[in-house]
Amino acid sequence: MADLHIAILGPQGSGKGTQAALISQKYEITHVDLGHELRDRQKINDELGKVIRETISRGELLPDHIPFKILKEKLENIKKGFILDGFPRDSEQLAMTNEITTLTLALYIKISDEEAVKRLEKRRICDKCGKIYTWNEGMSSICECKGNIVQREDDKPEAILKRLALYHKETELLIREYSDKKILREINGEQTVEEVFSEICTEIDSIL
Ligand code: AP5
Ligand code: MG
């Protein structure tokens, strides 16, 4: 079986993290989640931690070299395949990715901005393991790993709108680049989690 080198992209809230976790489990490949790595790194109280914390909470992107260094270190330790979530985010980052690996599949999860905003307002995550939740009345505030279930700093209205605008300006251009390389597969993200996953599995199985 060929190694899977997948990138997952789509607007904020399209379900990249949710689906990448399922893909990683089913196909036994590593989920490289740059947002999660950066949120972990920001807990360290040094200059870099401060820059990451402030940039993320404003809904802006970090300078390329910061996520790229994390990506390189992660990829060096991967034996089988991987799914990249949150990198690359623009053409420069795609060029950086191409220097260290070759992508074999790009999954584009398509949802509207209205749906994205609705989902992000209700998203909660575990501050320890990063598990993703949708808020509902009476849900526990403690994750099964004993971490606290919290709202992300960048899931506040002003930051959400800024992140979506940046996505349309920078990241969406990658759809064309992946399509030119013939590795793009478009997935309808406005279905249940299970239905989206089923569509994704059909695409992955078709290249195995
Ligand atoms: P990152 O953490 O990657 O955030 P993002 O790109 O904004 O994407 P999200 O994580 O918000 O959305 P998602 O698609 O993963 O949705 P999820 O599965 O959680 O990056 C955060 C920040 O880090 C960036 O803004 C930047 O500052 C920095 N950064 C990261 N990478 C960088 C890079 N390469 N360069 C520079 N800076 C970088 O789902 C959302 C919600 O919807 C959840 O509640 C979930 O339960 C629910 N949901 C999922 N699927 C469904 C469904 N089918 N139906 C209903 N609800 C669903
Ligand atoms: Mg995510």
Side-chain angles (χ1 to χ4, degrees), residues 8 14-23 31 85 132-133 193 197:
I8 191 160
S14 55
K16 300 180 295 292
T18 303
Q19 295 297 330
L22 296 170
I23 295 165
H31 177 191
D85 170 5
I132 302 162
Y133 292 87
V193 170
F197 185 52

Side-chain angles (χ1 to χ4, degrees), residues 146-160:
K146 305 272 185 279
N148 293 310
I149 298 172
V150 297
Q151 185 166 33
R152 271 172 49 171
E153 273 304 313
D154 57 349
D155 281 347
K156 309 276 160 64
E158 325 79 70
I160 292 176

Side-chain angles (χ1 to χ4, degrees), residues 8 19 29 76-77 117 139 169 203:
I8 191 160
Q19 295 297 330
I29 57 176
E76 270 161 21
N77 296 313
V117 171
M139 72 182 274
K169 185 162 171 265
E203 295 299 347

Side-chain angles (χ1 to χ4, degrees), residues 12-13 16-18 39 60 86 89 93 123 134 163 191:
Q12 285 65 27
K16 300 180 295 292
T18 303
R39 280 186 290 279
E60 293 169 6
R89 269 181 203 257
Q93 291 192 2
R123 174 170 56 191
T134 299
R163 287 159 61 210
Q191 312 178 76

Side-chain angles (χ1 to χ4, degrees), residues 56-110:
I56 290 185
S57 62
R58 283 199 303 268
E60 293 169 6
L61 292 177
L62 285 146
D64 293 343
H65 68 275
I66 298 177
F68 186 60
K69 183 167 181 281
I70 297 175
L71 175 73
K72 251 171 99 174
E73 284 167 9
K74 293 289 272 181
L75 291 191
E76 270 161 21
N77 296 313
I78 288 173
K79 301 274 177 294
K80 239 177 135 193
F82 56 79
I83 174 149
L84 292 190
D85 170 5
F87 201 102
R89 269 181 203 257
D90 56 26
S91 296
E92 286 77 36
Q93 291 192 2
L94 177 59
M96 294 167 101
T97 309
N98 290 339
E99 280 170 26
I100 54 171
T101 191
T102 306
L103 297 173
T104 50
L105 183 67
L107 297 167
Y108 162 43
I109 311 188
K110 190 174 178 186

